[in-house]
Structure formats: C-alpha cells, structure tokens
Amino acid sequence: METLFSSIDYSDPIWIAIALGFGFLSQVVGLPPLVGFLVAGFTLNYFGAEEGEVLAVVADLGVTLLLFTIGLKLRVKDLLHAEVWGVTSVHIIVVSILFAIYLALLKQLGLPLFSELDLVKILIIGFALSFSSTVFVVKILDNRGDMLSHYGRLAIGVLIIQDIAAVIFLGISEAKVPSIWAALMIMLIVIGRPLLNILLNKIGHGELLVLYGLVLALGGAALFEAVDMKGDLGAVVFGVLLANNPKAEEMAKTLFSLKELFLVGFFLSIGMAGLPDSSIMLAVVLLLLGLALKTGLFFLLFSRFKVRSRTATTSSLILGNF
C-alpha cells in the first residue's frame, strides 16, 4: 500500500542532515546558520545531488509561513508613512535607471553574459536589482530579535511596498490580470475579518494555534492564487488581518520553530539550483559593486525624509542586498 513515507525521496533527509552539519559549522565560526545552508546546497550540487520533491515543497512552505508572520507583525499605518512609500518609490526608480545604464556599459565592453543582453532584459534586470530580498532581511531581523524595532518595521514596510511593485510589474509584463472574482474575494475577506479574530481569541494555545496559523497562511495563499493573484501576497494579507489582535504575537512565536525548519529547505534549495561558473562569478563581482550605490541611496533618501541617522544607517545596511 502506498504511504506518505514510501513516496519520499530518501535523499531529502540526507540533504537536510548535511545542511544541519554545515549550519552548525557556520554558527561555530560566527556566521548565521543560513550561510551554512547555502554552502551545503552548493556543495551538494557540486557532487551532482538533485533536489527532491519533498525539499521543494518544504522550501515553498517556509517562504509562505515567513510572509504570514511578517503580516502578523505589520501595521497598515506603517506603510502610509512617507519615509516608507516615498523612499521605496524613489529608490526603485533611481536604482533601476542607474543599474540599467551600468548593465548597458558592461554589454558594450563585451563581457560574458552581459553581451547577450538586449534592452528589454537590461531594463528588467535593472528593475530586479533595485529590490531587496524579503527572506534574507526578515531572517536577519528574526535572528537579532529586531522585528518590532523602529528600523525593523521601517525595513519591513519598504519590503512590502517593493513586493506590491513586483506584483504590479508581473501583472503587466505577463498581461495577467486578477480574476473577476478577486474583488468579491477581497470584500469577503474584509467582511470576515472580525470572525477570524474571534476564532483566534477562542482557539486557545498550543497545537490548535499552530494549526490555525497554518490554515490561514496556506489558505490565504491558495485563495489569492485561485483568483490569479500572487499567493505570497495572500499570506501577507491574512497575517495583516490579525496583526492588531493581542494573540498575534503569540501565534508568530508559536509558528517560529516550524517556519525556521521549513526555511532550511528554502536556503538549501537555492544552493542546489546551480553551481556558479567563472562567468557567473565575474558577473557577481561586477554586480556587487552596485551594493554601495544601493545602500548609499537608501541612507540618503531616509535622511531626506527626516529619519534619524542611526535608524537610517541600520535600515539601509539591512536593505542593501540583492
């Protein structure tokens, strides 16, 4: 008889065990465990290992739960501050243009990979490089315990605005518009918000709280996908619906270990996706030069929007990544 465990590729548990070893070694030398997970993925890829089906599912679950917990700690009013939407909007436009010019110059030099780019690809990559990695930023904030700090909330606000911009871009570029049912779904979600909060207050603690969080995170993502909207955005929205509830912080803490476990699969799968060759490494080095521009512009814009120097510095440093 076919069982769940008989369908598992037994290489997956081995890869996870190897990730544990590399993560521990990374921690011993003073680096975050996620660096070890990435190195483990590259190492496994080098020896010809392939990502199993279970690992891919675990990675997707990790990202969905991460975005849901972001929503639990997000206040909509934080997104309405000028230093959030104003800085993000200007930063995306300026950095996209500057990186596009930079990529065009590298193309003219005939460098590997860059020489194959046309104007459309240059503009798309320039736009992509203006973004920060939500997963990496939030993981670092979690490790530091700074999710609720002023600079942490500022950084998360910027990430959410970036994600909204990405959703709009993907919709336009793929000529994909939300289903006609999307408006009805959003209306039902808003109407049903009090019910979701009542259930959260009645659900109790322990395993029921974990299960309720999983249902909302995965259900929210599935609902948004069903009406042709980005599932990740659905996970964030359902988290935001409960953000003002006194038990939201408890739910986030309860889901913490589960989210951390699933994110191991995410970082491991990144490394296993491909091993950089000399051309890619050259491209990486050249693109990393843009980090100074990206970080510096964040600091300049935050300062212009009257953000205190220390907050502007820490927010810029954590957002200055690809």
Side-chain angles (χ1 to χ4, degrees), residues 43-167:
T43 304
L44 289 169
N45 182 280
Y46 177 77
F47 287 104
E50 295 183 358
E51 177 186 1
E53 193 173 324
V54 172
L55 188 60
V57 171
V58 166
D60 289 339
L61 285 173
V63 174
T64 300
L65 280 178
L66 174 71
L67 294 171
F68 177 69
T69 55
I70 288 175
L72 287 175
K73 299 178 181 181
L74 182 67
R75 305 292 187 270
V76 175
K77 63 180 182 180
D78 292 338
L79 301 179
L80 301 179
H81 295 159
E83 63 266 28
V84 174
W85 63 265
V87 167
T88 310
S89 302
V90 175
H91 189 272
I92 288 176
I93 294 171
V94 174
V95 171
S96 297
I97 293 172
L98 292 178
F99 266 118
I101 295 172
Y102 181 48
L103 291 169
L105 290 174
L106 295 176
K107 172 183 172 65
Q108 293 301 315
L109 294 175
L111 295 175
L113 297 182
F114 297 103
S115 61
E116 304 168 18
L117 299 177
D118 56 29
L119 179 59
V120 174
K121 291 176 182 176
I122 285 174
L123 293 174
I124 291 175
I125 294 174
F127 179 69
L129 291 174
S130 70
F131 287 76
S132 305
S133 168
T134 300
V135 176
F136 280 92
V137 172
V138 175
K139 188 72 174 64
I140 292 171
L141 288 173
D142 256 349
N143 290 342
R144 294 178 179 176
D146 286 347
M147 286 284 286
L148 298 179
S149 66
H150 182 42
Y151 93 90
R153 286 184 285 112
L154 186 60
I156 289 172
V158 170
L159 293 171
I160 297 298
I161 299 297
Q162 287 181 346
D163 284 346
I164 292 173
V167 169

Side-chain angles (χ1 to χ4, degrees), residues 87 90-91 94-95 98-99 132 288-304 309 312-321:
V87 167
V90 175
H91 189 272
V94 174
V95 171
L98 292 178
F99 266 118
S132 305
L288 283 176
L289 296 176
L291 286 181
L293 164 68
K294 187 173 181 179
T295 305
L297 183 59
F298 264 127
F299 178 79
L300 178 63
L301 291 173
F302 281 133
S303 300
R304 291 292 182 271
S309 295
T313 300
T314 49
S315 299
S316 299
L317 288 173
I318 201 169
L319 289 168
N321 65 79

Side-chain angles (χ1 to χ4, degrees), residues 25-48:
L25 290 175
S26 181
Q27 183 172 271
V28 168
V29 299
L31 294 173
L34 67 88
V35 175
F37 302 151
L38 287 169
V39 174
F42 286 129
T43 304
L44 289 169
N45 182 280
Y46 177 77
F47 287 104

Side-chain angles (χ1 to χ4, degrees), residues 234-289:
V236 175
V237 168
F238 269 74
V240 170
L241 292 175
L242 302 176
N244 291 319
N245 192 296
K247 290 186 69 176
E249 182 64 24
E250 182 185 352
M251 175 180 276
K253 289 180 179 178
T254 304
L255 291 171
F256 179 79
S257 296
L258 199 58
K259 176 195 68 180
E260 293 291 289
L261 173 63
F262 288 154
L263 279 178
V264 172
F266 172 77
F267 292 113
L268 187 58
S269 64
I270 289 178
M272 295 182 72
L275 193 67
D277 56 22
S278 57
S279 297
I280 293 177
M281 291 305 297
L282 174 61
V284 167
V285 171
L286 292 172
L287 292 177
L288 283 176
L289 296 176

